[in-house]
Amino acid sequence: MRLILSILSMFVILSNVFSQQSIADQVKSVQDDPRVKAAFDHIDKDRDAILREWIAITEINAPSKQEQERAKYIEGLLRKHKLEIRYDSAGNLIATRKGTDGGPVTVFDAHMDTVFQPGLKIKATVRDGRVYAPGIGDDTRNIEALLATIRALDAAKIKTKGDLVFVFTTDEEAGMTGAKQYTKDNKGKVDYYIALDGGYEGFTYAGIGINWYRHHFIGPGGHTRSRTPPYSATLPLARAIARIYELKVPTNPSSNLNIGMLGGSEVVNAKASDAWFTVDLRSTNNDVIADLEKKIALILDEEAKRAGVTVKTDVISASPAAVLPGNRESNLVKIAEAVHRAMGFDPPIGNAGSNNSSAALLQGITSISTGAGPCSDSHALTENCEIEPLYRGIKKILLLEVALAGLDQ
Ligand SMILES: [Zn+2]
């Protein structure tokens, strides 16, 4: 029995190796196809136009829920191509490049919204091989990548078997409502969902759960010279923080805990009547979050009692981990892995992301997240991207599009 089992498991391992091998071969043959080569050449020839268009879109600020002006501009660019174009009830701009024979419906998402305040005047500057502008990276680089691939696919007369659906989503930064609406409306009609957000060298296949809390210790306060106990509410806060950092936070499943903000009295000579701190709790496993949440609540209770104060917790935000069973072994992940390797990105598989991919995974849609270029200072006015690698990133996205939707013969 043992022998049979080990032969069987050997067979499973070997057949996985073979299937991974054949997917790598398939991706390689797509990459070597003259039409795909022509599309890559087009991207090289299109470089200056890509940079100009990327900047033009970035300079239309699009705060969450105020994406209309940017959407109209992108729609104008899409209208130059043979695409079915529509908006849905969440304001997502959707462009479908029809496939020829019912291959996998492959959705690429890039979000239109930015975190910057309405009315902010954005003017990009280029220096030392980088382009600087708020929102240039998150997520305009990926909007531009999709537009550049559409142009290159058309120029090279590439037809895919399955539909390629380009979804320019709204409101990613403020709660993913655009992607949530799209994935809810299209559940069962989508085979692969690729959220382009951040990213360059690798991809992720799970969404990390993120809970933010603000914990308060509430006491009587008073002057420095007032009789104690009760103490300043900063005392249980300090004790609690020290104990929370003693908690074991697992690395597998990938999890994090951070206490980033705290506050107490407004003045030096008063005991704090409200001492508070934040907790940022993350894990790819919701049970880990629930377990740590319980342990933290217990510490807070004990320290509040010990200092004779009360405790109050506000949940600032909570979004659950999105892990789809079997996603790691899915065709999407295998093809994405092969595409990244074929483009020279190795090893390509990252941990977990936090973006529109989670909306798809929570609807049971096979999904990954990746992106088209390296950028820094996302969500800051100093945001910037390297220019040169974007062209390679765009080629990677194009290869991913064709390898997933299938090259029509
Ligand atoms: Zn983003």
Side-chain angles (χ1 to χ4, degrees):
M1 190 61 184
R2 248 253 186 71
L3 184 68
I4 294 171
L5 274 180
S6 59
I7 289 171
L8 262 178
S9 64
M10 186 95 114
F11 179 75
V12 169
I13 289 164
L14 278 177
S15 67
N16 275 341
V17 168
F18 284 134
S19 73
Q20 188 59 49
Q21 191 55 49
S22 73
I23 285 176
D25 289 344
Q26 283 164 31
V27 166
K28 197 91 198 82
S29 75
V30 172
Q31 190 183 21
D32 291 341
D33 190 282
R35 289 165 289 177
V36 173
K37 281 195 164 18
F40 280 14
D41 287 345
H42 185 272
I43 290 166
D44 287 330
K45 278 192 229 115
D46 201 27
R47 298 160 69 97
D48 296 343
I50 288 171
L51 179 59
R52 271 197 308 273
E53 187 175 271
W54 181 18
I55 287 173
I57 298 166
T58 304
E59 289 180 346
I60 306 168
N61 192 20
S64 299
K65 301 184 178 68
Q66 298 178 46
E67 301 91 347
Q68 295 82 348
E69 190 190 347
R70 185 181 275 204
K72 276 271 158 267
Y73 186 83
I74 299 168
E75 184 196 336
L77 299 170
L78 293 168
R79 292 266 171 221
K80 297 176 187 161
H81 300 271
K82 200 166 160 266
L83 300 161
E84 290 176 14
I85 296 168
R86 67 186 176 92
Y87 288 89
D88 69 8
S89 62
N92 296 311
L93 168 58
I94 302 161
T96 302
R97 194 175 189 276
K98 291 299 283 178
T100 51
D101 77 345
V105 174
T106 305
V107 174
F108 281 81
D109 152 336
H111 69 83
M112 294 189 286
D113 62 315
T114 69
V115 297
F116 302 101
Q117 72 204 56
L120 178 71
K121 287 271 162 284
I122 297 174
K123 189 90 197 91
T125 52
V126 174
R127 63 171 191 273
D128 305 329
R130 308 182 86 95
V131 51
Y132 292 77
I136 190 84
D138 184 10
D139 194 24
T140 322
R141 69 177 179 285
N142 291 315
I143 292 176
E144 180 50 33
L146 291 180
L147 294 167
T149 61
I150 293 169
R151 277 200 295 279
L153 289 170
D154 279 9
K157 298 194 169 53
I158 290 177
K159 289 194 163 43
T160 54
K161 292 179 183 161
D163 291 355
L164 280 171
V165 187
F166 304 97
V167 185
F168 301 88
T169 47
T170 54
D171 205 35
E172 189 272 345
E173 302 286 2
M176 302 184 202
T177 49
K180 280 178 184 163
Q181 188 67 45
Y182 180 83
T183 52
K184 188 168 144 248
D185 293 348
N186 292 279
K187 190 180 173 161
K189 292 184 240 166
V190 173
D191 294 293
Y192 305 130
Y193 193 99
I194 297 90
L196 299 182
D197 200 350
Y200 175 50
E201 295 179 329
F203 66 97
T204 62
Y205 61 91
I208 197 156
I210 305 179
N211 281 19
W212 289 357
Y213 314 82
R214 186 178 270 113
H215 301 295
H216 298 260
F217 287 107
I218 314 282
H223 189 270
T224 301
R225 284 168 58 77
S226 65
R227 285 183 173 276
T228 55
Y231 301 103
S232 171
T234 51
L235 178 65
L237 170 137
R239 287 173 172 158
I241 290 177
R243 283 181 66 191
I244 290 168
Y245 269 123
E246 302 276 306
L247 291 173
K248 236 182 114 45
V249 178
T251 47
N252 184 23
S254 174
S255 311
N256 319 86
L257 185 159
N258 177 50
I259 296 172
M261 298 172 71
L262 50 79
S265 166
E266 300 287 319
V267 291
V268 180
N269 56 355
K271 294 172 181 171
S273 58
D274 179 352
W276 59 269
F277 66 102
T278 58
V279 175
D280 179 357
L281 199 52
R282 302 177 180 223
S283 179
T284 51
N285 184 328
N286 290 317
D287 293 342
V288 171
I289 293 178
D291 179 56
L292 284 166
E293 190 179 283
K294 238 200 312 218
K295 286 177 175 147
I296 290 169
L298 193 69
I299 291 171
L300 297 173
D301 269 345
E302 285 173 4
E303 294 306 336
K305 276 202 190 84
R306 191 173 156 200
V309 300
T310 58
V311 67
K312 178 176 91 101
T313 292
D314 297 325
V315 178
I316 303 169
S317 71
S319 65
V323 179
L324 189 65
N327 201 31
R328 174 67 184 83
E329 289 74 38
S330 66
N331 256 339
L332 172 58
V333 167
K334 285 180 183 158
I335 293 170
E337 190 178 352
V339 164
H340 278 79
R341 291 227 160 87
M343 293 300 298
F345 298 112
D346 206 4
I349 301 191
N351 198 322
S354 167
N355 50 54
N356 279 339
S357 184
S358 290
L361 291 166
L362 290 170
Q363 289 290 349
I365 300 168
T366 309
S367 178
I368 60 163
S369 165
T370 182
C375 300
S376 339
D377 292 9
S378 133
H379 294 194
L381 294 173
T382 52
E383 189 169 354
N384 66 88
C385 298
E386 288 178 58
I387 296 170
E388 188 56 37
L390 185 80
Y391 305 113
R392 181 173 167 213
I394 292 170
K395 290 175 189 170
K396 179 191 81 174
I397 304 298
L398 185 137
L399 184 57
L400 197 55
E401 289 167 359
V402 179
L404 288 168
L407 189 55
D408 189 55
Q409 288 320 312

